[in-house]
Amino acid sequence: TQLLEQSPQFLSIQEGENLTVYCNSSSVFSSLQWYRQEPGEGPVLLVTVVTGGEVKKLKRLTFQFGDARKDSSLHITAAQPGDTGLYLCAGLLGKSTFGDGTTLTVKP
Amino acid sequence: KAGVTQTPRYLIKTRGQQVTLSCSPISGHRSVSWYQQTPGQGLQFLFEYFSETQRNKGNFPGRFSGRQFSNSRSEMNVSTLELGDSALYLCASSHKPEGGLDYGYTFGSGTRLTVV
């Protein structure tokens, strides 16, 4: 049983479009993190959200933690080819648990 | 400062052999975690070490083992390799156990293990 469900699994869009990816769970997490991984490399931490309802912005990326701290979303505005990669969410519940990720492809 | 260093980057082994992978964490980080990443299973937690003690262990067979040294460097060992062990093995370091609330993990680039 996967603790963290990410959707969609794959997403292919044109440059300039907006998108949202989701990370859902039935468990309550003390914190949740988003990472981006490029082929042949390890994941790179983008953000950590801790408080229910928290919204964090990182340039064109907006991260939201659900009020009940069971889910999170990542919204990208005006996607660029450089945003291409695997986006992973990770929840802290005793140990860090990773979702299966969303593979994003942004076409020029 | 230097990032997390994993060696080797690529490795090809034969079924039945054993392998040792190495991870040097960021200076000052005392927590080291290991993950196995495969296309079908995603990132699967292997184990975490903090100050030379194993704090958590994932659901992997006893063929997978690890250790941490006093300088926080860590090694993981896989004995009696199977074809299904082919994967990207990632090491991650952090200031605190379980990545802490605010720090998260810093990952290395991984070791790509292929078992033939």
Side-chain angles (χ1 to χ4, degrees), chain A residues 2 9 30-33 35 37 40-45 48-50 56 86 88 90 92 94-100, chain B residues 9 35 37 40-45 48 56-58 88 90 98-110:
Chain A
Q2 189 72 353
Q9 190 176 359
S30 53
S31 70
L32 195 140
Q33 295 152 351
Y35 294 80
Q37 184 178 20
E41 297 297 327
V44 175
L45 179 67
T48 298
V49 285
V50 177
K56 281 191 174 180
L86 175 67
L88 294 158
L92 184 61
K95 63 181 188 296
S96 282
T97 301
F98 283 81
D100 282 344
Chain B
R9 283 296 307 268
Y35 288 84
Q37 187 175 33
Q41 297 294 320
L43 265 167
Q44 301 293 314
F45 173 75
E48 179 189 13
N56 278 304
K57 190 176 190 305
L88 179 67
L90 291 162
E98 293 111 22
L101 280 181
D102 295 319
Y103 297 105
Y105 289 118
T106 301
F107 281 86
S109 297

Side-chain angles (χ1 to χ4, degrees), chain A residues 80-91:
Chain A
Q80 299 176 359
D83 296 326
T84 293
L86 175 67
Y87 288 81
L88 294 158
C89 66

Side-chain angles (χ1 to χ4, degrees), chain A residues 33-36 44-48 58 61 63 74 87-88:
Chain A
Q33 295 152 351
W34 285 92
Y35 294 80
R36 184 173 76 202
V44 175
L45 179 67
L46 296 174
V47 77
T48 298
L58 186 66
L61 278 60
F63 305 85
L74 158 60
Y87 288 81
L88 294 158

